[in-house]
C-alpha cells in the first residue's frame, strides 16, 4: 500500500479511490465476496441498496450471533464501529472490515471508558451490564453485554437482590427498570437519533392516521415510549409489523428499518416518526456514512480493517459470550 493511500485512509476513514463507472457495482461486490470468501453483515439502518446486497441483515443481537458463527474468512460489517468491533471480538482470527471507519455512534461516544471506570468504582458490589452500543474498552469493563432485544431478559435472569449498573443508554436503562421493577444505577448516555423525536408531530400524525399503530425503539425517551402500542428492538418492531393485523404504522426509530418493513408487508403503510427538526424522517448520520461505493472499495482493498489489542479482545469476549449464552438458553 502506498503512503498517499494510507494517509488518505487515516484522514478520511475510508478508501477514496475512483471506481470505474462502467462496472456493475452489485455484481462486482458479489464476485469479490465469492473470491475472498467474505460475508456482508448489515444493520437495518443501512441504505436500502446495502441491505439488498447483504448476506445477513439484522439487529445488534442477530448480527453478533452471525459474527460468532460465520465460517467466512472476511467479515464486511455494514454498520457502525462498535458493531464491527463486536464482530472482531467474537471472531478475532477473521479479517473484519468497516467501509467507513468514521461511522461512529453518539451513544457510544457518550460513555468514555475512563470516566465509566471511575463511575464503576463508586459501586463496587454492583454487576455491570452494558448495552452493546459502546466501545470494546467499555465492554472489557463489563460483566454482561446486552442488546435492545434481550436487555429485559438479561436483567431478569439475575438474582433479584443483585445490584446492577446499566450503561450507557439512560433511556433503555429506564425502560428496563420499568419493565423489571429493578433498581438499576444508570449511566447518563443517549442516542442522538432516538432523542429527537417530536411528540407534537407524532401526535399530529396519529390524528391524521387514527388507525395507525405507533411503534418505538426503547432508545427513545420515556414520554415517547409512553404513547407506544409496541416497544422493541429493530427486529422486534419488524416482526410486530409482520404479525400484527393493522395496515398503518408510525415508526419511531431510524428510518432504514422501513425498507425491510415495506418489503415484508408490501400492502401496509409505514410512516417514519418525525424528528424535532425540519426533516421528515430520522436518519443516523453515522450509519448513513456507508455507501455501496465505500463497501466495494473496502472489499476490493480489504481496508479499513478493525484491529483491537489482544487483551481488550480477551476481556471483552467474556461479557459478550455471556450475553450469547443467556440468549441461547432463553431461545432469543
Ligand atoms: P437494534 O437493531 O439492536 O435494535 O439497535 C438499534 C440501534 O440503535 C443500533 O445502533
Ligand atoms: Fe448510535 Fe443512535 Fe446511530 Fe444507533 S442510531 S448507531 S445508537 S447514534
Amino acid at each position: 500500500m502506498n503512503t498517499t493511500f494510507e494517509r488518505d485512509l487515516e484522514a478520511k476513514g475510508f478508501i477514496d479511490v475512483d471506481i470505474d463507472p462502467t462496472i456493475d457495482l452489485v455484481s462486482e461486490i458479489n464476485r469479490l465476496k465469492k473470491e475472498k470468501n467474505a460475508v456482508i453483515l448489515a444493520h437495518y439502518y443501512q441504505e436500502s441498496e446495502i441491505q439488498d446486497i447483504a448476506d445477513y441483515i439484522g439487529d445488534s443481537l442477530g448480527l453478533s450471533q452471525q459474527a460468532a458463527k460465520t465460517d467466512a474468512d472476511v467479515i464486511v460489517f455494514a454498520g457502525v464501529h462498535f458493531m464491527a468491533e463486536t464482530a472482531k471480538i467474537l471472531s478475532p482470527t477473521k479479517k473484519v472490515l468497516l467501509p467507513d471507519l468514521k461511522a461512529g455512534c453518539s451513544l457510544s461516544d457518550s460513555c468514555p471508558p475512563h470516566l465509566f471506570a471511575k463511575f464503576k468504582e463508586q459501586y463496587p458490589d454492583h454487576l455491570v451490564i452494558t448495552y452493546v452500543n459502546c466501545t470494546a474498552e467499555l465492554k472489557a469493563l463489563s460483566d454482561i453485554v446486552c442488546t435492545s432485544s434481550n436487555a429485559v431478559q438479561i436483567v431478569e435472569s439475575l438474582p433479584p437482590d443483585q445490584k446492577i449498573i446499566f450503561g450507557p443508554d439512560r433511556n433503555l436503562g429506564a425502560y428496563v427498570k420499568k419493565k423489571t421493577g429493578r433498581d438499576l444505577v444508570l449511566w447518563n448516555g443517549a442516542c442522538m437519533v432516538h432523542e429527537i423525536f417530536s411528540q407534537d408531530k407524532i401526535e399530529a400524525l396519529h390524528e391524521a392516521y387514527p388507525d395507525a399503530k405507533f411503534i418505538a425503539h426503547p432508545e427513545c425517551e420515556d414520554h415517547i415510549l409512553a404513547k407506544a402500542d409496541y416497544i422493541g428492538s429493530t427486529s422486534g418492531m419488524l416482526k410486530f409489523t409482520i404479525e400484527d393485523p393493522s395496515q398503518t404504522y408510525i415508526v419511531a426509530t431510524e428510518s432504514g428499518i422501513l425498507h425491510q418493513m415495506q418489503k415484508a408487508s408490501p400492502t401496509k403503510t409505514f410512516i417514519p416518526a418525525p424528528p424535532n427538526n425540519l426533516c421528515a424522517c430520522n436518519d443516523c448520520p453515522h450509519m448513513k456514512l456507508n455507501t455501496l461505493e465505500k463497501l466495494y472499495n473496502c472489499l476490493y482493498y480489504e481496508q479499513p480493517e478493525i484491529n483491537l489489542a489482544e487483551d481488550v479482545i480477551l476481556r471483552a469476549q467474556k461479557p459478550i459470550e455471556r450475553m450469547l449464552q443467556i440468549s441461547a438458553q432463553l431461545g432469543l
Side-chain angles (χ1 to χ4, degrees), residues 45 80 82 104-107 133 191-194 219 284 286-287:
Y45 296 165
V80 291
F82 76 80
C105 168
S106 64
L107 176 52
N133 298 35
C191 155
M192 61 188 277
V193 179
H194 288 87
E219 284 178 28
C284 170
H286 308 288
M287 285 279 180

Side-chain angles (χ1 to χ4, degrees), residues 45 148 172 175 194 197 202 213-238 240-241 249-254 257 261 271 273:
Y45 296 165
S148 49
L172 177 65
Y175 171 73
H194 288 87
F197 286 110
I202 291 170
K213 290 243 169 89
F214 176 54
I215 59 175
H217 194 279
E219 284 178 28
C220 295
E221 291 167 293
D222 186 52
H223 65 101
I224 299 287
L225 296 181
K227 307 271 171 195
D229 297 297
Y230 174 81
I231 300 167
S233 70
T234 51
S235 61
M237 292 167 99
L238 174 61
F240 179 78
T241 61
Y249 300 87
I250 300 166
V251 183
T253 191
E254 211 269 359
I257 185 71
M261 289 178 173
I271 307 165

Side-chain angles (χ1 to χ4, degrees), residues 274-329:
N276 232 335
N277 57 30
L278 295 176
C279 304
C281 60
N282 214 353
D283 279 343
C284 170
H286 308 288
M287 285 279 180
K288 293 317 200 244
L289 279 180
N290 294 324
T291 61
L292 206 57
E293 287 75 16
K294 286 179 189 170
L295 193 142
Y296 167 79
N297 272 340
C298 162
L299 189 52
Y300 185 92
Y301 293 101
E302 301 188 22
Q303 288 285 346
E305 185 180 356
I306 300 291
N307 286 306
L308 290 167
E310 208 183 314
D311 74 299
V312 173
I313 292 185
L314 289 175
R315 286 187 296 127
Q317 239 164 21
K318 285 186 198 139
I320 305 176
E321 276 166 3
R322 206 161 160 201
M323 166 186 83
L324 293 177
Q325 266 163 18
I326 298 173
S327 302
Q329 279 160 11

Side-chain angles (χ1 to χ4, degrees), residues 111-123 138 141 187:
C111 193
H114 69 285
L115 295 183
F116 189 80
K118 284 215 174 93
F119 176 73
K120 189 181 142 170
E121 275 170 20
Q122 296 170 50
Y123 306 97
L138 204 81
L141 293 170
W187 177 265

Side-chain angles (χ1 to χ4, degrees), residues 15-316:
I15 305 286
D16 193 12
V17 173
D18 288 342
I19 300 171
D20 175 355
T22 63
I23 66 166
D24 175 357
L25 271 186
V26 171
S27 48
E28 272 307 293
I29 289 172
N30 281 325
R31 186 187 64 76
L32 286 171
K33 235 169 40 178
K34 265 199 203 122
E35 187 185 296
K36 296 176 185 240
N37 188 27
V39 67
I40 299 177
L41 305 183
H43 188 266
Y44 287 127
Y45 296 165
Q46 290 296 286
E47 296 287 1
S48 310
E49 56 186 7
I50 294 183
Q51 294 189 32
D52 289 343
I53 203 172
D55 297 289
Y56 176 84
I57 320 157
D59 69 354
S60 307
L61 177 62
L63 289 163
S64 311
Q65 288 164 334
Q66 291 295 320
K69 73 176 187 199
T70 183
D71 53 12
D73 295 317
V74 178
I75 299 173
V76 184
F77 214 108
V80 291
H81 199 272
F82 76 80
M83 295 180 169
E85 276 186 347
T86 306
K88 183 69 186 174
I89 293 162
L90 288 166
S91 289
T93 58
K94 299 193 191 303
K95 188 175 260 189
V96 177
L97 306 170
L98 181 66
D100 190 326
L101 272 188
K102 297 203 171 167
C105 168
S106 64
L107 176 52
S108 177
D109 291 346
S110 70
C111 193
H114 69 285
L115 295 183
F116 189 80
K118 284 215 174 93
F119 176 73
K120 189 181 142 170
E121 275 170 20
Q122 296 170 50
Y123 306 97
D125 53 351
H126 285 54
L127 196 99
V128 178
I129 303 184
T130 50
Y131 187 34
V132 70
N133 298 35
C134 65
T135 58
E137 283 82 2
L138 204 81
K139 291 181 177 81
L141 293 170
S142 315
D143 298 298
I144 317 180
V145 165
C146 72
T147 75
S148 49
S149 285
N150 58 21
V152 168
Q153 292 90 335
I154 286 191
V155 169
E156 279 172 345
S157 74
L158 300 169
D161 57 347
Q162 175 63 60
K163 292 178 181 166
I164 300 167
I165 295 176
F166 188 96
D169 189 12
R170 60 174 174 242
N171 295 319
L172 177 65
Y175 171 73
V176 174
K177 244 175 129 164
K178 215 176 199 173
K179 288 288 278 186
T180 61
R182 306 282 284 262
D183 185 23
L184 312 178
V185 175
L186 303 183
W187 177 265
N188 192 18
C191 155
M192 61 188 277
V193 179
H194 288 87
E195 280 218 322
I196 59 159
F197 286 110
S198 158
Q199 190 170 341
D200 290 349
K201 288 186 192 171
I202 291 170
E203 279 167 10
L205 257 183
H206 226 162
E207 274 169 33
Y209 297 91
D211 296 332
K213 290 243 169 89
F214 176 54
I215 59 175
H217 194 279
E219 284 178 28
C220 295
E221 291 167 293
D222 186 52
H223 65 101
I224 299 287
L225 296 181
K227 307 271 171 195
D229 297 297
Y230 174 81
I231 300 167
S233 70
T234 51
S235 61
M237 292 167 99
L238 174 61
K239 190 164 176 269
F240 179 78
T241 61
I242 294 170
E243 293 170 355
D244 180 74
S246 306
Q247 285 304 306
T248 310
Y249 300 87
I250 300 166
V251 183
T253 191
E254 211 269 359
S255 60
I257 185 71
L258 269 70
H259 180 57
Q260 293 304 321
M261 289 178 173
Q262 199 68 74
K263 261 177 120 169
S265 308
T267 60
K268 294 189 178 183
T269 304
F270 299 97
I271 307 165
N276 232 335
N277 57 30
L278 295 176
C279 304
C281 60
N282 214 353
D283 279 343
C284 170
H286 308 288
M287 285 279 180
K288 293 317 200 244
L289 279 180
N290 294 324
T291 61
L292 206 57
E293 287 75 16
K294 286 179 189 170
L295 193 142
Y296 167 79
N297 272 340
C298 162
L299 189 52
Y300 185 92
Y301 293 101
E302 301 188 22
Q303 288 285 346
E305 185 180 356
I306 300 291
N307 286 306
L308 290 167
E310 208 183 314
D311 74 299
V312 173
I313 292 185
L314 289 175
R315 286 187 296 127

